[in-house]
Amino acid sequence: MKVSIFITCLSDAIYPRVGEAMSRILARQGVKLHFPEVQTCCGQPAFNSGYWDEARASARTLLEAFDDSDFVVSPSGSCTGMIHHYYPSLFKDDPVMLKKAREFSEKVYEFSQFLVNVLGVTDIGAHFPHKVTYHPSCHGTRLLGIKEEPRQLLANVKGMEFVDLPFAEDCCGFGGTFAVKMSEISGAMVEEKVQHVVETEAEVLVGMDMGCLMNIGGRLRYEGKQVRVMHLAELLYEGVKQKV
């Protein structure tokens, strides 16, 4: 099967190590990832701001980039959720593109979904001797129904102490353009989220979406809190390297 990586804007521009970790983990499972260089933004910022023509242009580029891929894997539940739930809306008046959008959405998976539900892998043999808590991002949880997959992967990490995050499913306040348009409300939300993270006394906060982790991590640094923020792929890959 031909599996391609959809890297997403944040991972490509700010957190390339997340894409590297994801690629190396999948390589250990025998998956060779392809990287179509013409891929671009999924169009979510434009879509959420009402610029549907611009979002449609981005979506067309993405559909073409991954046209011959059997599976597409992404480190972001937010971008994956955009494709699954809103691409059909973008092309509702174009039967040909609507068909392509629906076919595309069926082969796009968030990282933990692909590992657990497609490859059937819940234990990659990682060892990570730290106290960890987990923030489930809104789009991954609500749009894609990702709930047990990350927890299954974390449950099989040896040496790790896992502690539940209070009010875990409360939004961190990022929401992309929401954090810009409603900055005061966003700031209050992430302040509350950080309070709950600190309550756990965890050394590491892990999540599935770099937008949320960037927001929470920024607030943690602002408050001088020594909590490491990691994408699940980073934690698993570091756990594999530590074991070796």
Side-chain angles (χ1 to χ4, degrees):
M1 60 183 178
K2 183 176 180 180
V3 183
S4 299
I5 180 173
F6 168 40
I7 193 61
T8 77
C9 299
L10 278 181
S11 183
D12 184 43
I14 304 177
Y15 301 102
R17 63 181 183 270
V18 174
E20 179 186 0
M22 187 174 76
S23 300
R24 292 185 181 277
I25 288 170
L26 292 175
R28 292 175 61 87
Q29 306 304 320
V31 176
K32 181 180 179 181
L33 285 175
H34 297 263
F35 183 82
E37 294 185 10
V38 297
Q39 64 179 280
T40 184
C41 176
C42 68
Q44 184 175 185
F47 179 83
N48 290 344
S49 298
Y51 295 98
W52 282 32
D53 287 340
E54 289 79 0
R56 205 172 284 114
S58 292
R60 286 180 183 274
T61 300
L62 218 58
L63 290 172
E64 293 172 5
F66 296 106
D67 186 55
D68 64 344
S69 301
D70 298 315
F71 292 94
V72 178
V73 187
S74 169
S76 168
S78 179
C79 300
T80 304
M82 169 68 188
I83 292 165
H84 275 254
H85 284 264
Y86 300 117
Y87 270 28
S89 298
L90 283 174
F91 297 108
K92 62 182 180 180
D93 297 323
D94 186 335
V96 175
M97 292 303 298
L98 177 60
K99 181 175 182 292
K100 288 185 177 182
R102 286 174 172 165
E103 290 174 348
F104 180 51
S105 68
E106 290 176 359
K107 64 183 182 183
V108 180
Y109 289 82
E110 179 272 334
F111 169 66
S112 69
Q113 282 184 317
F114 186 75
L115 262 184
V116 175
N117 299 332
V118 178
L119 298 184
V121 175
T122 58
D123 187 350
I124 68 164
H127 179 262
F128 193 76
H130 300 283
K131 189 174 184 179
V132 176
T133 192
Y134 166 62
H135 167 68
S137 296
C138 294
H139 285 178
T141 302
R142 293 167 174 78
L143 293 184
L144 299 176
I146 299 171
K147 293 188 177 180
E148 294 306 316
E149 293 91 342
R151 287 180 170 271
Q152 286 177 290
L153 291 162
L154 289 169
N156 287 310
V157 176
K158 309 300 186 294
M160 189 184 80
E161 179 186 353
F162 182 82
V163 56
D164 284 317
L165 179 65
F167 302 99
E169 293 192 359
D170 284 2
C171 178
C172 74
F174 181 59
T177 56
F178 171 81
V180 177
K181 296 175 180 177
M182 311 287 259
S183 59
E184 291 187 4
I185 297 174
S186 173
M189 293 170 73
V190 73
E191 180 181 8
E192 183 177 43
K193 176 64 68 173
V194 162
Q195 289 174 357
H196 294 315
V197 171
V198 173
E199 285 174 21
T200 67
E201 299 183 349
E203 302 168 70
V204 177
L205 170 70
V206 67
M208 300 300 303
D209 212 305
M210 291 315 305
C212 305
L213 295 177
M214 178 177 67
N215 190 41
I216 300 170
R219 185 71 191 193
L220 283 165
R221 289 192 299 274
Y222 177 77
E223 296 188 8
K225 307 299 183 185
Q226 300 301 310
V227 180
R228 190 178 178 192
V229 176
M230 304 177 75
H231 189 279
L232 177 62
E234 293 179 287
L235 185 151
L236 293 176
Y237 182 52
E238 186 169 311
V240 171
K241 290 194 298 182
Q242 284 189 10
K243 185 177 181 181
V244 173

